[in-house]
């Protein structure tokens, strides 16, 4: 009957038949498109091709699931807090005391969760105003913000916003939190430093440290006992294995809690705990809702340009301190760094590094005295994730992960190196290599050549043919004397040149004068013999950021030539070793200065304390041979690091009130006659770290008095 009705319908309405045929044709075309899409998708998997999104775009459904998993465990209640006493004390002081203005106190740590603005507003409306679902149905977000603002305006409040991922979330919420200058506080937790600074630039973020080994063990043992829900103590053998287990967690509370839960479900036997120890990383990736997917969420939120930079970190060994400079050069060589106007790629790459650190994806292992990153390290779990994700995406392949390569001794570089025509980074530092094969000239794409701590000498002629070179480091063990280049276009792209020996005027005129794009330059040799040529060359290098000159030769105490730095507005780092003319002036924007063997007889502080941007000052051996130094009131307004070493003749250092008002770190080594007057270090109220090496006992006793007020901590250092 149904078939009959359908037939009758077509019979009564002939135009419907044409529509049916058209729809059938459309359906057939759609099926073909779907088949083609499936084929493309299969091909993508086969050839390792992934989607390229902008700004960290990922599939909404997948990310949504990850965030829901984070959401479900974000409010789990724990009875014990471990290892946060100092952080809590600092937070308490900032919440209770401080300015009357409404301030935002940001806490930065690893792993997070994004909330939607409307959810936050509704939660605040429910808990603070007592609103219900019916109220929310009739109120917009703007109405809610206005209602909350009026209610809080006459009250002193503290509100905690947990795990904010985007600056837009804060921008949408801040109108709900009025500033009545009554001491109200907002505590904001985030993984991103830029969000913290965006919320309140005047309030420095509080960065949480990873747990110590001791606190890690406490957390693990408490977690295991808590899950057992009893007062049973752990077996005696558990501490030894437990400490080894938490050692592999690198102080990350999330990983320790996951393993604590796992151990609580295991039989309390030595063999079971030993199995967990032998497979820590495997266990942490097996429960995606607790650990692996949380790390995946952090990765998926990265902008597209940071993802390859992060995955690349999987190449480095576990617990390895990665040189920031080397990492930056490798990123540039791999092509990960996107051009940004006329800005050098190395500067863009340094911003990438800062952004990854600001997102808590990697950690700072060491900073230079000027505050820039010297070395970084990646947490074991994030490294495991990077390797797993990079392998999945066919970004890289780890063939032998645990192989330890012994350092080269008397290494020889095979001529086959010339076949690696796409090579962009060749680091031979510490290999003690004697010669470079001529086939290196075929490495036409090479950007970095590092020959430090090798025996390569003289400068190989093939180097002059590598026109794409950007960074060239010669060895410091042999005299690397330049020869006139064979062509006019001599290393036109070179930005960094270290370890070049100048032994004749022609070295300057025929070589250095052609390197017009240098940003970093390190020279040594009898520099004063070529004062005019060298002075003119350096004067013309307006783009210099860093200059190191070492006047060394057969004669002792050679001089640094007089140099005109008046137009060097970009030069911020200057290291000079050699006799220095007392009339020498310094670059206007200098931030770091190191002097050695200058043999200045007049107090250098009088001139140096007037440098408005100087942040780091190192006065090394025989830089000053006078008896008195004076730091006057208001002098050194930006100085943060001061290092004095081997100043054997200085007897008195007079520090006036309000001198060096921003000094945070002071190091004094082998200045045995030094006395600090009239009040010692009392005028320096900003000091945090004091390092002493081979100093008389009486100066240490006087300094101890000030240390008792917790103004700074004393560390002992050995002279280098």
């Amino acid at each position: 009957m149904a078939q009959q009705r359908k037939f009758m319908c077509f019979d009564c309405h002939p135009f419907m038949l044409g529509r049916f045929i058209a729809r059938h044709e459309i359906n057939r075309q759609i099926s073909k498109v779907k088949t083609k899409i499936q084929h493309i998708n299969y091909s993508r998997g086969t050839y390792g091709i992934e989607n390229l999104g902008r700004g960290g775009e990922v599939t909404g459904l997948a990310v949504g699931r990850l965030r829901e998993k984070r959401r479900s465990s974000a409010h789990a209640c724990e009875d014990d807090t471990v290892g946060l006493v100092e952080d809590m004390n600092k937070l308490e002081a900032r919440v209770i005391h401080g300015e009357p203005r409404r301030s935002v106190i940001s806490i930065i740590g690893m792993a997070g969760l994004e909330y939607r603005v409307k959810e936050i507003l509704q939660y605040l409306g429910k808990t603070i105003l007592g609103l219900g679902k019916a109220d929310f149905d009739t109120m917009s977000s703007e109405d809610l913000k206005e209602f909350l603002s009026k209610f809080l305006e006459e009250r002193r409040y503290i509100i905690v916003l947990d795990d904010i991922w985007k600056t837009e979330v804060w921008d949408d919420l801040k109108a709900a939190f009025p500033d009545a200058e009554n001491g109200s506080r907002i505590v904001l937790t985030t993984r991103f430093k830029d969000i913290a600074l965006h919320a309140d630039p005047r309030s420095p973020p509080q960065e949480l440290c990873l747990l110590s080994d001791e606190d890690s063990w406490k957390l693990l043992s408490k977690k295991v006992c808590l899950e057992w829900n009893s007062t049973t103590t752990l077996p005696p053998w558990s501490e030894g294995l437990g400490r080894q287990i938490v050692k592999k967690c690198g102080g990350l509370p999330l990983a320790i809690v996951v393993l604590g839960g796992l151990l609580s479900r295991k039989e309390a036997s030595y063999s079971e705990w030993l199995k967990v120890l032998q497979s820590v990383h495997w266990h942490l990736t097996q429960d995606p809702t607790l650990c692996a997917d949380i790390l995946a969420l952090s990765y998926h939120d990265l902008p597209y340009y940071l993802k390859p930079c992060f995955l690349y970190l999987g190449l480095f060994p576990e617990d390895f301190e990665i040189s920031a400079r080397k990492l930056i050069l490798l990123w540039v060589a791999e092509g990960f760094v996107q051009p940004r106007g006329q800005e050098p790629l190395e500067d863009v790459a340094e911003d990438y590094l800062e952004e990854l650190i600001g997102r808590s994806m990697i950690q700072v292992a060491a900073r230079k005295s000027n505050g820039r990153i010297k070395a970084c390290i990646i947490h074991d779990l994030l490294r495991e994730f990077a390797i797993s994700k990079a392998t999945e995406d066919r970004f890289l392949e780890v063939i032998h992960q645990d192989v330890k390569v012994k350092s080269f001794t008397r290494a020889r570089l095979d001529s086959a190196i010339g076949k690696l025509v796409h090579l962009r980074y060749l680091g031979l530092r510490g290999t003690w290599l004697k010669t470079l094969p001529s086939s290196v000239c075929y490495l036409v794409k090479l950007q970095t050549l590092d020959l430090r701590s090798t025996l390569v000498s003289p400068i190989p002629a093939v180097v002059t043919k590598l026109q794409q070179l950007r960074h060239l480091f010669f060895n410091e063990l042999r005299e690397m004397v330049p020869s006139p280049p064979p062509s006019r276009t001599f290393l036109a792209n070179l930005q960094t040149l270290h370890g070049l020996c100048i032994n004749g005027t022609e070295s300057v005129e025929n070589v250095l004068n052609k390197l017009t794009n240098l940003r970093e330059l390190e020279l040594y040799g009898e520099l004063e013999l070529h004062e005019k040529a060298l002075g003119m060359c350096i004067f013309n290098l307006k783009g210099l950021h860093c200059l190191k000159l070492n006047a060394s030769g057969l004669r002792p105490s050679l001089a640094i030539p007089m140099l005109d730095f008046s137009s060097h507005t970009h030069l911020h780092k200057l290291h000079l070793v050699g006799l220095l003319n007392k009339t020498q002036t310094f670059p206007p924007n200098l931030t770091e200065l190191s002097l050695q063997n200058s043999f200045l007889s007049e107090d250098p502080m009088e001139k140096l304390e007037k440098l408005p941007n100087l942040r780091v000052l190192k006065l090394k051996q025989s830089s000053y041979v006078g008896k008195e130094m004076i730091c006057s009131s208001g002098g050194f307004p930006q100085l943060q690091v001061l290092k004095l070493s081997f100043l054997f003749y200085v007897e008195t250092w007079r520090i006036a009130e309000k001198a060096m008002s921003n000094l945070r770190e002071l190091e004094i080594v082998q200045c045995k006659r030094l006395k600090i007057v009239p009040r010692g270090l009392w005028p320096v109220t900003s000091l945090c770290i004091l390092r002493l090496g081979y100093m008389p006992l009486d100066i240490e006793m006087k300094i101890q008095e000030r240390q008792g007020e917790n103004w700074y901590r004393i560390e002992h250092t050995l002279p280098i």
Side-chain angles (χ1 to χ4, degrees):
M1 191 68 180
Q3 291 178 351
Q4 190 178 12
R5 279 198 299 269
K6 288 180 182 178
F7 180 81
M8 287 173 62
C9 179
F10 291 133
D11 185 49
C12 296
H13 304 283
F15 69 92
M16 291 292 290
L17 181 60
R19 182 179 295 181
F20 175 79
I21 294 172
R23 286 182 178 177
H24 176 74
E25 179 63 22
I26 292 172
N27 186 59
R28 192 175 68 84
Q29 293 293 334
I30 290 174
S31 297
K32 287 177 64 177
V33 170
K34 285 182 177 180
T35 302
K36 190 171 184 178
I37 290 173
Q38 288 174 350
H39 176 71
I40 292 171
N41 193 48
Y42 174 79
S43 299
R44 284 171 63 252
T46 302
Y47 298 109
I49 302 170
E50 297 296 331
N51 290 331
L52 177 64
R54 294 186 62 85
E57 293 174 6
V58 289
T59 306
L61 180 60
V63 175
R65 285 178 185 152
L66 294 177
R67 287 171 180 159
E68 286 305 318
K69 289 173 182 176
R70 289 298 314 277
R71 209 180 298 266
S72 63
S73 59
H75 306 291
C77 179
E78 296 288 353
D79 294 341
D80 295 291
T81 304
V82 174
L84 298 173
V85 176
E86 186 177 345
D87 289 311
M88 288 191 293
N89 289 340
K90 289 180 182 178
L91 180 61
E92 181 182 347
R94 293 181 66 182
V95 168
I96 297 174
H97 308 294
E99 302 172 273
R101 72 180 182 91
R102 182 217 68 190
S103 60
V104 180
I105 303 166
S106 298
I107 303 171
I108 301 176
M110 289 179 66
L113 162 68
E114 179 182 359
Y115 289 94
R116 296 178 179 85
V117 173
K118 191 168 184 179
E119 291 176 355
I120 299 175
L121 290 173
Q122 289 183 354
Y123 178 80
L124 292 173
K126 180 181 178 181
T127 54
I128 296 176
L129 305 175
L131 300 177
K133 188 175 185 303
D135 299 304
F136 297 141
D137 291 339
T138 60
M139 297 176 71
S140 66
S141 294
E142 294 303 317
D143 294 334
L144 261 174
K145 280 188 268 189
E146 186 177 353
F147 204 173
L148 280 166
S149 179
K150 287 180 179 178
F151 181 82
L152 295 173
E153 199 165 16
E154 299 177 358
R155 293 169 172 81
R156 187 183 183 195
Y157 59 88
I158 176 171
I159 292 176
V160 179
L161 299 175
D162 183 36
D163 242 337
I164 302 300
W165 277 56
K166 297 184 183 299
T167 56
E168 293 83 1
V169 174
W170 169 251
D171 290 339
D172 286 343
L173 287 172
K174 63 182 179 182
F177 309 127
D179 184 5
E181 299 205 353
N182 58 1
S184 293
R185 298 287 184 265
I186 296 171
V187 179
L188 181 151
T189 72
T190 181
R191 293 195 307 102
F192 307 134
K193 193 172 184 178
D194 60 331
I195 293 177
L197 294 172
H198 176 80
D200 192 341
R202 295 161 60 185
S203 180
Q206 184 169 330
E207 300 191 38
L208 297 180
C209 298
L210 296 172
L211 296 181
S212 65
D213 290 346
E214 188 63 34
D215 288 331
S216 295
W217 163 241
K218 286 181 182 178
L219 178 59
L220 182 75
S221 57
K222 286 185 176 183
K223 179 66 180 175
V224 173
C225 292
L226 184 68
E227 291 293 329
W228 284 347
N229 196 24
S230 67
T231 57
T232 306
T233 57
L234 291 172
W237 50 261
S238 64
E239 182 170 352
L241 283 179
R243 287 184 180 275
Q244 293 181 62
I245 290 171
V246 296
K247 188 81 172 175
K248 291 180 176 289
C249 295
L252 184 63
L254 171 66
I256 297 168
V257 168
V258 170
L259 290 176
L262 172 69
L263 290 170
S264 69
R265 298 189 295 273
K266 296 277 186 182
E267 179 187 344
S269 66
Y270 184 91
S271 59
E272 287 298 318
W273 280 45
L274 182 61
K275 288 179 184 177
V276 173
L277 172 62
Q278 293 169 341
S279 55
V280 166
H281 290 147
W282 183 86
H283 281 295
L284 290 174
T285 58
Q286 292 311 296
D287 194 343
T289 62
L290 289 175
C291 204
D293 277 1
I294 295 173
L295 301 180
L297 179 56
S298 300
Y299 169 77
H300 287 310
D301 195 67
L302 289 176
Y304 72 97
Y305 55 85
L306 287 183
K307 287 180 177 177
C309 296
F310 170 74
L311 295 181
Y312 195 75
L313 296 170
L315 288 175
F316 293 93
E318 188 174 320
D319 300 325
F320 182 75
E321 285 197 9
I322 306 166
S323 164
R325 184 189 192 109
K326 182 176 181 179
L327 182 62
I328 285 169
L329 297 184
L330 286 169
W331 280 347
V332 172
E334 294 286 359
F336 299 155
V337 184
Q338 307 294 313
R340 198 163 65 188
Q342 299 300 312
E343 195 172 355
L345 293 176
E346 291 76 9
D347 288 357
V348 179
E350 188 170 3
D351 288 346
Y352 286 9
L353 182 59
E354 289 282 5
E355 191 171 350
L356 282 171
I357 288 169
R359 288 172 169 267
S360 302
M361 298 299 283
I362 51 179
Q363 301 157 267
V364 176
R367 285 191 182 272
K368 299 178 182 178
S369 51
N370 60 8
R372 296 174 71 180
I373 301 166
K374 183 178 182 179
C376 61
I377 194 167
I378 181 170
H379 191 279
D380 290 351
L381 286 181
L382 283 166
R383 177 179 172 272
E384 289 291 328
F385 173 81
I387 293 173
S388 172
K389 183 63 178 172
T391 305
E392 176 190 333
D393 292 351
R394 304 188 183 184
F395 177 81
L396 59 84
E397 184 177 354
V398 179
I399 301 173
H400 296 294
Q401 186 172 340
D402 298 322
V403 173
K404 293 183 178 179
V405 181
K406 295 181 180 179
S407 59
F408 289 102
T409 56
R410 304 289 181 180
R412 177 177 172 271
L413 196 62
D414 195 278
S415 60
I417 188 75
K419 295 180 180 180
L420 304 177
V421 293
H422 296 288
L423 196 66
R424 298 185 183 183
Y425 185 102
L426 181 55
L428 301 170
R429 186 177 187 176
T431 60
W432 307 108
L433 194 73
K434 283 186 174 182
T435 58
L436 275 183
S438 58
S439 60
V440 168
C441 68
Y442 298 117
L443 305 179
V444 293
K445 294 186 178 181
L446 197 66
Q447 296 180 2
T448 299
L449 177 59
D450 191 348
L451 297 175
R452 287 173 290 185
S453 296
T454 67
L455 299 175
V456 175
S457 180
I459 295 176
V462 295
V463 170
T464 62
K465 299 179 181 180
L466 305 174
Q467 293 302 311
Q468 293 301 314
L469 267 185
R470 299 167 68 89
H471 309 280
L472 180 56
F473 303 90
F474 288 129
N475 78 69
E476 64 275 31
L477 305 174
R478 302 285 182 90
E479 281 195 359
M480 303 297 282
V481 181
S483 302
S487 63
R488 294 182 180 179
T489 57
F490 174 57
L491 303 182
N493 295 302
L494 201 64
Q495 297 182 15
T496 304
L497 177 59
H498 279 212
L500 190 68
C501 179
I502 298 297
N503 71 342
T505 304
E506 66 278 0
S507 299
V508 180
E509 294 176 344
N510 296 330
V511 178
L512 282 182
N513 280 345
K514 296 186 177 183
L515 303 176
T516 56
N517 293 315
L518 286 177
R519 301 178 78 211
E520 292 188 27
L521 176 61
E522 181 187 60
L523 302 174
Y524 69 97
E526 299 181 0
L527 305 182
E528 66 175 328
L529 301 181
H530 322 290
E531 180 170 4
K532 184 177 180 181
L534 188 59
M536 183 58 65
C537 171
I538 292 176
F539 179 80
N540 291 328
L541 291 173
K542 297 295 193 297
L544 271 182
H545 284 60
C546 173
L547 176 63
K548 298 180 181 181
L549 300 177
N550 188 339
S552 61
L554 297 177
R555 293 184 297 149
S557 305
L558 291 173
I560 297 290
M562 279 288 293
L563 299 169
D564 182 1
F565 292 122
S566 58
S567 59
H568 285 81
T569 56
H570 300 291
L571 186 55
H572 59 80
K573 186 175 183 178
L574 182 62
H575 289 197
L576 302 175
V577 180
L579 290 170
L580 195 64
N581 193 304
K582 65 180 182 180
T583 62
Q584 175 66 61
T585 57
F586 297 99
N589 296 318
L590 195 65
T591 61
E592 179 177 330
L593 175 64
S594 176
L595 300 178
Q596 183 176 341
N597 293 337
S598 309
F599 287 93
L600 294 169
S601 57
E602 297 182 7
D603 183 9
M605 298 301 192
E606 183 179 358
K607 179 185 293 185
L608 299 180
E609 70 179 5
K610 294 181 174 63
L611 294 173
N613 300 304
L614 192 65
R615 290 178 171 81
V616 179
L617 175 60
K618 302 175 185 178
L619 297 180
K620 299 183 179 180
Q621 182 173 358
S622 302
S623 55
Y624 175 47
V625 293
K627 292 186 176 182
E628 184 178 47
M629 292 191 308
I630 300 175
C631 292
S632 57
S633 180
F636 291 112
Q638 298 296 326
L639 193 67
Q640 297 178 8
V641 179
L642 176 59
K643 297 187 177 184
L644 309 174
S645 58
F646 299 94
L647 302 180
F648 299 120
Y649 302 99
V650 181
E651 298 176 356
T652 305
W653 183 18
R654 190 174 300 276
I655 303 177
E657 300 293 330
K658 298 182 180 179
M660 301 181 291
S661 58
N662 284 301
L663 189 68
R664 297 182 57 81
E665 183 180 333
L666 174 62
E667 180 176 299
I668 309 175
V669 177
Q670 280 278 25
C671 301
K672 294 193 172 182
R673 299 183 184 181
L674 184 67
K675 287 182 172 55
I676 307 174
V677 297
R679 301 177 60 222
L681 292 175
W682 282 90
V684 189
T685 59
S686 57
L687 197 61
C688 296
I689 300 173
L690 174 65
R691 296 189 182 93
L692 299 175
Y694 291 103
M695 294 298 293
L697 183 61
D698 59 339
I699 192 172
E700 292 197 20
M701 294 300 292
K702 290 180 180 179
I703 285 171
Q704 292 283 357
E705 298 173 6
R706 184 63 180 277
Q707 185 201 15
E709 297 189 1
N710 296 319
W711 287 63
Y712 54 76
R713 70 175 187 269
I714 295 180
E715 299 177 358
H716 287 267
T717 184
L718 296 177
I720 298 175

